[in-house]
Amino acid sequence: MLSLFRTNQALANILLLIYIALLRGVLFYTGEPVLPKSAGIWSFEFYRWVGKDLWLLPWFALCAILFQAIFINFVAARYRLSEEITLFSGTFYILLCSGIGGLANMPPALLANSFLIVVIYLLFDTYRQNNPAAAIFNIGLWVGIGSLFQFSFFLFVLLGIIGLNIVRSWNTREMLMLVSGIATTYFLCGSVYYLCDAWPLFVEQQFSSNLAFIQFNAHNTTVSYIERGLVLLLIVVAILSQGVYAYKRNIQVQKFQSILYWAMIIAAVTAVFHAGAGTEQLVFVAPMLAFFMMYHFTKMKSNMAETLHLVWMLMVILLQFHNFLGF
């Protein structure tokens, strides 16, 4: 099946729709939707809009993951992250997200994750740009917007600062552009709530209820241990394979890979400062791991890649049937 995604045709992304339906369709039958706890003012507004129509959440989650996967494929192809252009990065993003059960109910982390992918894209886009002011401002803007869905996402401003120093040299003026993008987001959003006499709601939902340090709320079950264990294993593999990924790559790709590694580190930091962080927080490392798994599977022999992919798929599907299988 993996061979279907070994193509550089953009229209082949339609195959991801079939793939995600196969992997996540079972979630519509194996679980009762639960309204997640908001972690930012806009996730609060989103869940208030959903109201009692909880059946919509798995559909929203499916659509979000699908579009994020397509965008990840676009980033991989546009910046030639791999010598062979395939749809593998988006494919493995879907596979990773399907292995995290907490994403079925569209948690704030999944809402914010779209903006992480956009930030990575914009950082790549600033490389060797003569006039990157708009891209740098937009990095701050999208970090700010993402933090309105999950407040701890605000820490990805560090990725903007570090990433700009990787693809460009330190420039105080550019750092001010980045900060002004975030400030603009909060000024405009805060002003709207203030003018609507909802300033206390803004402060409570955006700041007061989300500020915490080492406050985890992950359910310690067999399934959650497997989910965390798999992601941890892939992170270790990605770290140990750093030299392999960079081997015979040009300077541009090596810089982009460094940004991806820093993004994984900052993703871990967000969990430390997020109130009630659960397994859904793992979604922040999924885009980076998807790119790294692309490297592994493009270099594997076809039969080995197909076998590992099939085993991984079956494990994900079994995890979603865990209630029926008694574990």
Side-chain angles (χ1 to χ4, degrees):
M1 185 180 206
L2 190 61
S3 60
L4 295 174
F5 302 103
R6 194 182 284 270
T7 176
N8 62 357
Q9 299 298 316
L11 287 176
N13 278 292
I14 194 67
L15 295 173
L16 294 178
L17 181 60
I18 302 171
Y19 188 71
I20 197 171
L22 176 64
L23 284 173
R24 297 186 64 83
V26 65
L27 292 174
F28 293 94
Y29 303 100
T30 59
E32 201 63 37
V34 177
L35 192 68
K37 181 182 177 182
S38 61
I41 186 63
W42 282 2
S43 59
F44 170 78
E45 298 289 3
F46 174 74
Y47 297 138
R48 185 161 67 173
W49 174 76
V50 171
K52 296 182 179 179
D53 296 323
L54 300 184
W55 62 273
L56 289 170
L57 292 175
W59 288 101
F60 282 133
L62 186 147
C63 291
I65 292 171
L66 177 61
F67 285 114
Q68 289 166 3
I70 293 172
F71 191 39
I72 284 173
N73 280 333
F74 169 75
V75 173
R78 180 183 175 96
Y79 296 104
R80 305 285 301 191
L81 294 184
S82 176
E83 293 176 356
E84 180 184 1
I85 299 177
T86 67
L87 304 181
F88 281 6
S89 52
T91 302
F92 287 109
Y93 180 77
I94 291 174
L95 192 54
L96 282 160
C97 290
S98 299
I100 304 172
L103 300 184
N105 295 315
M106 196 68 178
L110 183 57
L111 287 164
N113 209 39
S114 297
F115 305 103
L116 173 57
I117 302 168
V118 173
V119 168
I120 291 171
Y121 164 74
L122 289 172
L123 283 171
F124 290 176
D125 200 45
T126 60
Y127 183 67
R128 290 185 176 175
Q129 265 199 37
N130 293 326
N131 187 19
I136 293 172
F137 177 85
N138 286 335
I139 289 170
L141 190 74
W142 291 117
V143 168
I145 292 174
S147 69
L148 294 175
F149 288 100
Q150 178 160 317
F151 181 68
S152 63
F153 188 87
F154 186 86
L155 291 172
F156 278 105
V157 67
L158 299 174
L159 178 62
I161 295 171
I162 295 169
L164 287 173
N165 278 279
I166 290 173
V167 297
R168 309 174 65 82
S169 58
W170 174 269
N171 186 313
T172 303
R173 183 182 173 189
E174 292 181 352
M175 295 303 117
L176 291 175
M177 292 176 190
L178 177 69
V179 172
S180 65
I182 300 173
T184 298
T185 304
Y186 275 84
F187 174 77
L188 292 175
C189 184
S191 296
V192 170
Y193 279 90
Y194 179 80
L195 293 173
C196 294
D197 292 327
W199 178 254
L201 175 67
F202 175 74
V203 173
E204 171 64 25
Q205 293 297 327
Q206 185 61 28
F207 301 104
S208 304
S209 61
N210 297 312
L211 293 171
F213 181 70
I214 311 182
Q215 187 185 101
F216 300 113
N217 188 29
H219 298 291
N220 295 320
T221 63
T222 302
V223 173
S224 66
Y225 283 130
I226 295 173
E227 291 173 352
R228 285 176 251 167
L230 176 60
V231 173
L232 181 60
L233 174 63
L234 295 178
I235 290 173
V236 171
V237 169
I239 293 171
L240 295 179
S241 303
Q242 184 176 9
V244 177
Y245 301 152
Y247 183 65
K248 289 187 177 180
R249 304 286 178 188
N250 59 44
I251 296 299
Q252 174 179 315
V253 173
Q254 290 182 22
K255 287 179 179 289
F256 293 166
Q257 289 174 355
S258 296
I259 290 173
L260 295 177
Y261 277 108
W262 275 107
M264 284 205 305
I265 293 171
I266 296 168
V269 176
T270 63
V272 175
F273 291 94
H274 177 62
T279 53
E280 71 281 352
Q281 200 75 9
L282 296 173
V283 75
F284 282 149
V285 300
M288 290 72 78
L289 288 178
F291 289 126
F292 294 143
M293 290 305 103
M294 171 188 66
Y295 287 126
H296 277 289
F297 280 79
T298 51
K299 287 186 173 295
M300 282 184 194
K301 291 183 179 179
S302 181
N303 57 347
M304 175 63 73
E306 288 286 355
T307 301
L308 286 178
H309 175 252
L310 180 60
V311 170
W312 193 350
M313 276 185 61
L314 290 175
M315 184 175 68
V316 167
I317 293 172
L318 286 174
L319 285 176
Q320 294 175 9
F321 274 112
H322 69 93
N323 286 329
F324 295 95
L325 298 175
F327 67 93

